[in-house]
Amino acid sequence: MKNKIYFLIIVSLFFLNQNNIFTQTYNNLWIPDTISGTQFNLNIRDTFAQIVSSGNQTITGAINGKYWGPTLFFNRGEEVHLNVRNYLNDSTTIHWHGMHLPAVMDGGPHQVIPPGTIWQPYWKVNNSAGTYWYHPHLHEMTLEHVSKGIGGFIIVRDTIESKLNLPRTYGVDDIPLVFTSRKFDANNQFVVQNVAYGDYLLTNGVMNSQVTLPKQVVRLRILNAEIERGYNLGFSDNRTFYIIGNDGGLLDAPVAVTRVKLMVGERIEILLDLSKDNTGTSIDLKAYNSGQTFGFPGGEPATSGQFGSLLNNKDFGVLHINVGSSLPNSINQIPAKLVTNDYLKESDATSTTTVNITGGQPPSTPFTLDNTPFTLNKINKTINFNEVQKWTIANNNVFGHSFHIHDVQFKIVARNGKSASVGSHESGWKDVMFVPLGENVSFVAKFADYADEIHPFMYHCHFANHEDGGMMGQFIVKNPTSVEDNKSINFDFSIYPNPTENKLYVNLSNNDIEIYYVTLSNSKGKTVMMLPQPEIQKGIDISNLTAGAYFIQIIDKKTKSISTQQFIKK
Ligand code: C2O
Ligand code: CU
């Protein structure tokens, strides 16, 4: 009898525990709003969201909403204009991860957006249809800003992908999924510092998420936006699913798998065939992270402490999928062929470079590349415009890392020197790749279209804490042939009225000058606005600036020459 009571108590404690605030019933998946067209208004704010199902809301950072941000739809070939307003109390930046664009528009650590100011990058979309994303990138602040939830998806469309018989109805049969995990304090607030792994998984910001998907072939666009954790993804019935896209667009043909690893910063697009499932049944998309070897982020055994987490080294659900009814004109087939990529080959490379992932062993700093901690003033590599380079990333550190490079999409050509060791699931265009502990991985990339000797691009470990800690370098793409292009010229401009309160007008003395962008900086040299040229005839709206002395700099597009004037804001 006594035993029976104990048994009942233990059983009910177990269920009580299962029913605690973090593991209740399923919550409906949130699908981010969308913005399409060529003008995109992004307002970055501190806000709050009910992330834990009961109790306090969590203070978050978000763009136009309560957590994360809208999905931006770009069409290849169109010029997009982004109006990024920073309403945070901190400076931040927004980087367009995976986009091929001019370095000054890239939103890396150099394109700072001070509080209360607007940053207006623009570029012609030159990426293939695929799943990209945007997120803060201010040096030493990336962990904090990303952890708050600031970020969003970019979906690029193009004429090739649009003709394929693929699921393409956003939020219906084409679902964006962003995975990350967080630790919470007793007041339901994110714990950010010294946290490599969260305890609770958030899928699109939702714990224990579920979604109802139509009985057909559905497309999932999956982003690992974790701090460190990797995901070994698969379905609860071990069914085969099909990888159709990597970071930079569609593969030549779907790759059938039952498991795929998705590491920090990486995206995959997959097709999941629900056409033979019965309406009303369900399956789970899960992370099969138990039994991973050391060096797989999140494979560590500890459940608490700096590298511990309740999700470490175990299998856990990431999305509960209910099979709904089928839709009219539903897609019920996995295509045999997708697109024809013209991949770079190892033999296309005319030069090679190596990056050693270093640090981790005292007395050196824990996070470096080539034993050199990142500094904003040091250019680590100079690459010739249009050069095809082979990069080998060698991991001599004490753990696995996710290597990312800006500007380009690359093709992985070898793992540990062997082309046969490159998985077909990673055979497409990539901008992030995992470099396991003690291994090396090689890729080739072409540094085309954008040369700029002033503004560098970044390469780094995409673990936000490692990147903030200095595991980052920067390169410039230099155009050695067009001497003309690099010859600096003197030009002048005048501004009026000065002093001024609301608008500042600019008159250029030289008609050959094409304004690349304009920066306004305060008397301490801090950039307060960065603006593209097009609207300058209407005057620059400076009504938001506090009174004082400022500098306005105009940068010429062709020569990158700079001219500066001072003005007073009344
Ligand atoms: Cu997604 Cu340099 O970053
Ligand atoms: Cu790292």
Side-chain angles (χ1 to χ4, degrees):
M1 185 61 189
K2 212 172 172 188
N3 277 346
K4 211 170 183 181
I5 288 172
Y6 279 134
F7 176 75
L8 281 175
I9 290 172
I10 287 166
V11 167
S12 44
L13 277 176
F14 176 77
F15 280 106
L16 265 179
N17 186 43
Q18 291 295 296
N19 274 328
N20 76 21
I21 49 169
F22 294 110
T23 56
Q24 258 173 359
T25 49
Y26 293 114
N27 302 305
N28 289 334
L29 183 74
W30 172 70
I31 303 288
D33 295 341
T34 65
I35 313 183
S36 330
T38 55
Q39 291 284 337
F40 299 83
N41 294 321
L42 303 180
N43 299 317
I44 313 168
R45 284 202 172 82
D46 285 318
T47 175
F48 37 79
Q50 192 73 51
I51 289 182
V52 179
S53 61
S54 65
N56 290 336
Q57 298 194 57
T58 303
I59 297 170
T60 56
I63 299 179
N64 303 3
K66 290 180 162 294
Y67 180 85
W68 195 239
T71 298
L72 314 181
F73 281 90
F74 292 171
N75 291 317
R76 185 171 194 173
E78 286 184 358
E79 188 171 279
V80 289
H81 291 254
L82 287 293
N83 305 307
V84 185
R85 287 187 177 80
N86 178 10
Y87 294 104
L88 303 172
N89 295 319
D90 284 338
S91 290
T92 191
T93 80
I94 294 291
H95 165 58
W96 319 103
H97 181 127
M99 290 283 109
H100 180 46
L101 39 57
V104 70
M105 309 297 176
D106 190 43
H110 295 274
Q111 284 85 46
V112 179
I113 319 170
T117 69
I118 184 169
W119 179 55
Q120 298 182 299
Y122 64 99
W123 68 94
K124 190 170 165 195
V125 178
N126 202 357
N127 283 74
S128 298
T131 307
Y132 305 86
W133 63 303
Y134 57 96
H135 62 78
H137 211 310
L138 186 66
H139 187 46
E140 296 177 333
M141 292 298 286
T142 300
L143 173 68
E144 189 175 322
H145 292 172
V146 168
S147 295
K148 282 174 154 189
I150 304 171
F153 280 100
I154 296 171
I155 293 179
V156 174
R157 304 256 200 238
D158 67 19
T159 52
I160 299 169
E161 187 267 353
S162 300
K163 290 200 187 91
L164 297 173
N165 192 29
L166 290 172
R168 201 176 287 108
T169 312
Y170 180 82
V172 176
D173 62 12
D174 182 352
I175 311 291
L177 296 174
V178 49
F179 300 147
T180 188
S181 60
R182 291 290 178 271
K183 275 191 164 71
F184 293 87
D185 69 12
N187 296 313
N188 288 354
Q189 302 310 309
F190 292 144
V191 183
V192 170
Q193 296 312 323
N194 299 316
V195 170
Y197 307 112
D199 286 330
Y200 298 96
L201 172 82
L202 303 180
T203 301
N204 298 1
V206 176
M207 278 190 210
N208 298 309
S209 60
Q210 68 169 354
V211 68
T212 299
L213 297 178
K215 178 177 157 58
Q216 64 162 74
V217 172
V218 295
R219 180 183 196 165
L220 306 178
R221 300 172 184 262
I222 311 177
L223 159 64
N224 179 338
E226 278 280 10
I227 304 309
E228 286 201 23
R229 188 187 310 282
Y231 287 76
N232 182 33
L233 295 170
F235 290 92
S236 48
D237 60 359
N238 294 320
R239 74 176 58 192
T240 298
F241 57 100
Y242 303 86
I243 299 172
I244 59 166
N246 283 164
D247 305 330
L250 293 172
L251 305 179
D252 286 350
V255 173
V257 295
T258 53
R259 293 283 182 274
V260 65
K261 288 189 176 120
L262 188 72
M263 312 309 267
V264 175
E266 289 184 307
R267 289 87 67 207
I268 42 167
E269 293 186 20
I270 68 169
L271 294 181
L272 165 66
D273 188 355
L274 298 175
S275 67
K276 288 159 208 87
D277 292 72
N278 291 325
T279 300
T281 59
S282 62
I283 65 165
D284 286 283
L285 176 57
K286 293 182 72 171
Y288 290 89
N289 282 10
S290 64
Q292 295 292 336
T293 51
F294 182 77
F296 177 93
E300 298 94 320
T303 53
S304 65
Q306 190 180 354
F307 301 108
S309 152
L310 298 179
L311 298 175
N312 273 4
N313 206 334
K314 63 181 235 183
D315 302 342
F316 56 92
V318 296
L319 181 66
H320 184 68
I321 298 171
N322 302 306
V323 182
S325 33
S326 59
L327 298 173
N329 307 317
S330 60
I331 291 164
N332 295 310
Q333 243 153 39
I334 307 293
K337 174 95 193 81
L338 295 163
V339 295
T340 307
N341 284 292
D342 189 12
Y343 290 126
L344 291 168
K345 294 180 295 299
E346 187 162 0
S347 56
D348 294 329
T350 54
S351 62
T352 60
T353 192
T354 304
V355 176
N356 286 297
I357 302 177
T358 44
Q361 267 133 340
S364 70
T365 50
F367 307 116
T368 53
L369 295 175
D370 294 321
N371 289 308
T372 311
F374 177 76
T375 60
L376 281 158
N377 309 325
K378 185 181 164 77
I379 301 297
N380 306 85
K381 289 181 191 292
T382 298
I383 299 168
N384 287 333
F385 182 54
N386 275 332
E387 191 168 352
V388 177
Q389 277 201 336
K390 176 184 168 191
W391 287 50
T392 297
I393 317 304
N395 185 357
N396 305 307
N397 183 269
V398 295
F399 203 61
H401 300 270
S402 247
F403 184 86
H404 171 51
I405 182 168
H406 294 206
D407 183 24
V408 294
Q409 290 290 332
F410 57 74
K411 172 79 174 157
I412 305 178
V413 292
R415 285 193 174 269
N416 299 315
K418 295 193 195 81
S419 60
S421 304
V422 182
S424 47
H425 68 281
E426 57 179 8
S427 61
W429 291 110
K430 299 274 298 160
D431 57 52
V432 185
M433 60 179 196
F434 189 64
V435 189
L437 173 60
E439 300 191 13
N440 66 74
V441 192
S442 305
F443 65 75
V444 284
K446 181 168 185 181
F447 296 83
D449 303 312
Y450 307 111
D452 186 332
E453 286 191 41
I454 305 173
H455 301 98
F457 289 109
M458 304 293 129
Y459 57 93
H460 58 93
C461 174
H462 214 289
F463 298 175
N465 47 349
H466 294 188
E467 166 189 342
D468 279 348
M471 195 176 266
M472 180 153 69
Q474 50 189 353
F475 65 94
I476 53 168
V477 179
K478 184 174 175 165
N479 194 339
T481 50
S482 66
V483 181
E484 271 291 281
D485 275 9
N486 297 324
K487 211 198 299 152
S488 137
I489 51 161
N490 287 320
F491 69 95
D492 228 346
F493 66 97
S494 56
I495 46 174
Y496 64 94
N498 187 12
T500 178
E501 198 175 349
N502 293 316
K503 289 226 166 178
L504 183 69
Y505 293 87
V506 172
N507 251 339
L508 284 166
S509 58
N510 182 341
N511 285 332
D512 292 339
I513 298 297
E514 203 192 329
I515 298 181
Y516 188 27
Y517 61 97
V518 171
T519 57
L520 305 189
S521 44
N522 65 18
S523 53
K524 295 194 185 98
K526 221 172 180 185
T527 303
V528 293
M529 283 172 124
M530 186 199 135
L531 307 159
Q533 129 74 13
E535 303 282 284
I536 207 142
Q537 319 80 276
K538 293 189 196 158
I540 299 170
D541 183 356
I542 54 151
S543 50
N544 275 334
L545 300 182
T546 52
Y550 291 87
F551 294 100
I552 171 169
Q553 289 197 316
I554 292 183
I555 294 86
D556 174 47
K557 191 161 191 174
K558 220 188 298 141
T559 62
K560 308 290 185 303
S561 305
I562 300 172
S563 182
T564 308
Q565 295 281 342
Q566 197 184 27
F567 70 95
I568 307 290
K569 152 81 186 181
K570 279 198 285 196

